[in-house]
Amino acid sequence: MPHPNRNFPVLSARDKLLPFYLLGIGLHHEQEHIRREQGIEDYQWIQCRSGVGKFKLSETEHIVKPGMGMLLFPGQKHEYYALSGSWEVDWIIFDGNGTASLFETVGIVHTCVYTLAQPEYLLSRMRELLQAALTPQEQTLSNYACSAVLYTLLTEIIQRVSVEGSDTVGQQYERIKPVLDYIEQHYAEEITLPTLAGLICVTPEYFCHLFKKTTGIRPISYVNQVRVNKSKELLLDNVQRGMEDIARQVGFESTSYYGAIFKKLERITPGAFRRSYQKS
């Protein structure tokens, strides 16, 4: 009889080729004292449900309360234990060749303790993951289902975590949303840094810092990406439309600059892109 709040999936060699795979999950777990001198072999997410605990990492210590979570990376020595009489947590152990890259997209590269936005939402996703793990079906199909739910859970974790009161990724994107909306509506026009910065009432210098911190690219690079993507629609809508006309309609100052940016981003010229979608 499977445990209703815990599961350790059996994984084949093929399952471990998945970019994300679940190794174990436990909900409503009464957390015991854990000390790992060599760290954990895989990744683990531990979310506090009730009570208070302490997490030790190298020379730092953190108090972990409800609404907080611990993300453990492989091979990093750590220790955690309850401070209150009862410390109830939910946890998952996972791995996959896409895991490190996913965390790197938001600058998460080592073990840390986080404050969470909407912790209950993440707990509901963990319940969904446990249900997928416990659902009776052919084992490989079950692991593929877990992989899909796990990926969703991890992307939602990285959107909702913050350190020492800083904004979460979701909050950072919400802050620059007026800018993203403006670019979507005005990409065919001249767009300047002062205009974009003014939309969120910051200086152009700080805006550039904030935008790159949030998206990973400079504002003008993002504008060019939007323009190139919009130009793809025009390239395919009317194969007789000239490049100069298309470049102008999406906001590029010249045909040569449009072609250079398109090739830089897509590794193909606009003309070659158009031909690749034409009927032979």
Side-chain angles (χ1 to χ4, degrees), residues 128-148:
E128 182 181 346
L129 181 56
L130 177 63
Q131 185 60 43
L134 292 173
T135 299
Q137 55 183 307
E138 196 274 323
Q139 189 64 46
T140 298
L141 293 179
S142 175
N143 290 331
Y144 274 86
C146 287
S147 179

Side-chain angles (χ1 to χ4, degrees), residues 183-199:
I183 294 171
E184 180 67 22
Q185 296 166 11
H186 299 274
Y187 63 88
E189 306 168 16
E190 181 183 6
I191 296 177
T192 66
L193 286 177
T195 297
L196 299 179
L199 294 171

Side-chain angles (χ1 to χ4, degrees), residues 19-211:
F20 308 94
Y21 54 83
L22 181 69
L23 290 162
I25 180 169
L27 305 187
H28 297 281
H29 179 77
E30 188 70 31
Q31 185 60 60
E32 65 273 31
H33 189 149
I34 297 293
R35 181 181 177 89
R36 298 186 177 109
E37 293 292 335
Q38 305 302 319
I40 192 171
E41 293 186 3
D42 305 289
Y43 294 85
Q44 186 172 18
W45 170 253
I46 306 170
Q47 186 167 331
C48 179
R49 181 181 285 270
S50 65
V52 180
K54 177 176 284 190
F55 178 79
K56 294 183 176 182
L57 177 68
S58 300
E59 304 301 319
T60 63
E61 296 184 356
H62 304 269
I63 301 300
V64 182
K65 304 176 182 179
M68 301 179 71
M70 304 175 286
L71 180 60
L72 312 183
F73 272 58
Q76 296 184 345
K77 175 183 175 180
H78 60 265
E79 179 182 11
Y80 52 94
Y81 51 87
L83 291 178
S84 57
S86 173
W87 189 26
E88 189 177 52
V89 303
D90 294 340
W91 55 264
I92 56 171
I93 302 173
F94 58 96
D95 210 332
N97 56 32
T99 305
S101 298
L102 177 64
F103 290 137
E104 285 174 6
T105 63
V106 292
I108 297 176
V109 295
H110 54 71
T111 297
C112 197
V113 174
Y114 294 100
T115 300
L116 304 171
Q118 299 175 301
E120 283 298 326
Y121 186 82
L122 297 179
L123 293 179
S124 69
R125 284 295 190 189
M126 294 179 75
R127 289 192 293 270
E128 182 181 346
L129 181 56
L130 177 63
Q131 185 60 43
L134 292 173
T135 299
Q137 55 183 307
E138 196 274 323
Q139 189 64 46
T140 298
L141 293 179
S142 175
N143 290 331
Y144 274 86
C146 287
S147 179
V149 180
L150 174 61
Y151 173 68
T152 300
L153 171 61
L154 295 180
T155 58
E156 290 175 347
I157 287 173
I158 65 177
Q159 292 177 66
R160 290 172 169 80
V161 297
S162 64
V163 180
E164 297 179 351
S166 63
D167 288 344
T168 67
V169 171
Q171 290 167 336
Q172 291 172 15
Y173 269 98
E174 189 63 28
R175 187 173 184 188
I176 68 168
K177 185 177 185 300
V179 174
L180 302 180
D181 291 343
Y182 181 88
I183 294 171
E184 180 67 22
Q185 296 166 11
H186 299 274
Y187 63 88
E189 306 168 16
E190 181 183 6
I191 296 177
T192 66
L193 286 177
T195 297
L196 299 179
L199 294 171
I200 57 174
C201 303
V202 297
T203 65
E205 293 76 16
Y206 181 73
F207 168 70
C208 288
H209 166 76
L210 177 64
F211 194 93

Side-chain angles (χ1 to χ4, degrees), residues 182-192 196 219-235 246-254 257-258 261-262 265-266 270:
Y182 181 88
I183 294 171
E184 180 67 22
Q185 296 166 11
H186 299 274
Y187 63 88
E189 306 168 16
E190 181 183 6
I191 296 177
T192 66
L196 299 179
I220 298 306
S221 296
Y222 179 84
V223 171
N224 284 337
Q225 284 191 357
V226 172
R227 287 171 171 165
V228 164
N229 285 346
K230 296 296 182 181
S231 78
K232 292 178 182 178
E233 301 173 16
L234 299 179
L235 285 166
I246 291 175
R248 186 179 65 255
Q249 287 201 35
V250 297
F252 283 105
E253 59 191 30
S254 71
Y257 184 59
Y258 163 57
I261 294 297
F262 193 105
L265 294 176
E266 303 296 326

